């Protein structure tokens, strides 16, 4: 686990933190950003991040021919399709719930890969912390979007 990877992992959480702060403090009104635009921005970023993580799982496992690798390759495609269709057809709050479930499932896969020494423990720890940050950000967004 390089320092660069750790830094990039945590930098990837900044948009989630930033948007949740905008939701929480109603800063989007001060910045003259419509709430629906903010929801679209974070939804598209969420789709991109889930696609990125799923793609890395797919890329690392495509050449292996064991049950776990086949499961990961298939599930990575399913996760991207789920999140894409959730973005297209579901309300924001339902989309965020679906994204939360997918993030937890992706973390579960990383935990399994760490357990069999495919990933380092440090990698998994970073993913765990980043996922917690994202889930807490989602909670803040949902809470404040429901009272606004």
């Amino acid at each position: 686990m390089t320092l660069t990877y750790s830094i990039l992992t945590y930098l990837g959480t900044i948009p989630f933190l930033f948007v949740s702060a905008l939701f929480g403090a109603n800063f989007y009104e001060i910045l003259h950003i419509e709430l629906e635009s903010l929801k679209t921005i974070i939804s598209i970023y969420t789709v991109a991040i889930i696609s990125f993580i799923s793609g890395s799982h797919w890329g690392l496992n495509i050449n292996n021919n064991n049950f776990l690798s086949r499961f990961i390759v298939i599930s990575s495609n399913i996760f991207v399709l789920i999140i894409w269709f959730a973005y297209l057809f579901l309300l924001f709050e339902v989309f965020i719930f679906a994204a939360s479930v997918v993030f937890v499932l992706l973390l579960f896969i990383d935990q399994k890969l760490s357990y069999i020494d495919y990933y380092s423990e440090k990698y998994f720890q970073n993913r765990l912390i980043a996922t917690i940050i994202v889930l807490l950000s989602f909670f803040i967004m949902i809470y404040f979007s429901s009272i606004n």
Side-chain angles (χ1 to χ4, degrees):
M1 170 64 59
T2 66
L3 179 59
T4 302
Y5 178 79
S6 295
I7 291 169
L8 290 173
T9 299
Y10 294 116
L11 286 175
T13 66
I14 290 173
F16 294 105
L17 292 167
F18 180 71
V19 171
S20 66
L22 291 176
F23 269 81
N26 287 337
F27 283 142
Y28 62 91
E29 292 175 350
I30 295 168
L31 298 173
H32 304 289
I33 301 171
E34 291 185 27
L35 184 59
E36 291 306 311
S37 296
L38 201 55
K39 289 177 179 180
T40 299
I41 290 166
I42 199 61
S43 295
I44 291 170
Y45 185 71
T46 298
V47 169
I49 293 298
I50 287 174
S51 296
F52 177 80
I53 296 169
S54 293
S56 68
H57 285 167
W58 187 86
L60 291 171
N61 288 280
I62 192 67
N63 292 322
N64 297 328
N65 195 22
N66 58 53
F67 175 78
L68 181 60
S69 292
R70 285 190 305 271
F71 171 78
I72 291 170
V73 168
I74 292 168
S75 67
S76 67
N77 284 281
I78 291 170
F79 294 153
V80 171
L81 291 172
I82 287 170
I83 205 62
W84 177 245
F85 285 114
Y87 170 69
L88 290 176
F89 299 114
L90 299 178
L91 296 172
F92 176 74
E93 293 77 11
V94 181
F95 167 79
I96 292 298
F97 176 77
S100 298
V101 171
V102 170
F103 271 112
V104 169
L105 292 171
L106 289 168
L107 183 66
F108 176 73
I109 289 171
D110 281 336
Q111 187 270 334
K112 292 295 180 195
L113 291 171
S114 177
Y115 180 75
I116 62 171
D117 293 328
Y118 200 77
Y119 289 149
S120 71
E121 181 64 27
K122 181 69 172 160
Y123 172 87
F124 176 71
Q125 290 172 354
N126 281 323
R127 281 277 293 115
L128 175 63
I129 294 167
T131 300
I132 290 169
I133 291 169
V134 169
L135 295 176
L136 289 174
S137 296
F138 282 167
F139 177 78
I140 291 168
M141 288 178 224
I142 294 300
Y143 177 76
F144 284 102
S145 72
S146 69
I147 63 172
N148 288 328

